[in-house]
Amino acid sequence: EEKALAAADLCIQQTADGDRLTVRVHKVHVLCSLGKWDAAIDLGKKLLDEFPAKADRASVRYALAGAYWGAKKADEAEAELRAILDADPDHAAAANDLGFHLADQSRDLPEAERLVRHAIATDRLARRKAG
């Protein structure tokens, strides 16, 4: 754990400003991998405050949602995924995750199906555009 966190911190220190958010979001993922849910959530919240741009917020919210799910805080995770989808209804990963989480909880199954189908269609279109 100590080596993984030290490596993540070193990457943050050595990263140029343009890539700093990406590396810090990766630290949220490292914390989640280590089961340090509260630390991951705290870092995610801090990043939301530090990076107000729409595109930045989506990546932070997505990582934060994963931390909330891991911490068994389903309402908070759902709120983050819905915030992503409010800003970008075509965010395939958020739609997919929210759809599957709703289905896993046997909640609003028509919405869950709609979200997953939309995620698949959006991803398929993005792959075609990318060649």
Side-chain angles (χ1 to χ4, degrees), residues 6-124:
D9 288 335
L10 182 61
C11 288
I12 290 168
Q13 291 171 359
Q14 294 179 345
T15 300
D17 285 340
D19 295 324
R20 187 149 304 198
L21 174 63
T22 301
V23 176
R24 291 179 72 192
V25 167
H26 284 300
K27 183 173 181 182
V28 172
H29 295 297
V30 169
L31 289 164
C32 287
S33 295
L34 296 172
K36 296 183 175 287
W37 308 115
D38 291 337
I41 291 167
D42 289 344
L43 179 55
K45 288 179 179 179
K46 182 177 176 183
L47 294 176
L48 277 177
D49 291 337
E50 290 180 36
F51 296 90
K54 180 181 174 182
D56 294 342
R57 294 183 76 76
S59 66
V60 174
R61 285 188 185 281
Y62 189 72
L64 187 53
Y68 279 131
W69 284 118
K72 309 288 189 240
K73 296 180 179 183
D75 291 342
E76 292 89 340
E78 183 177 334
E80 293 301 333
L81 293 173
R82 289 192 185 280
I84 294 168
L85 293 171
D86 287 344
D88 178 8
D90 291 331
H91 193 289
N96 184 70
D97 287 5
L98 181 55
F100 273 97
H101 287 298
L102 289 173
D104 286 344
Q105 297 171 11
S106 297
R107 289 181 40 223
D108 202 351
L109 295 178
E111 181 187 17
E113 181 180 2
R114 181 188 60 76
L115 286 164
V116 172
R117 288 186 185 279
H118 181 71
I120 292 168
T122 302
D123 183 65
R124 191 173 286 150

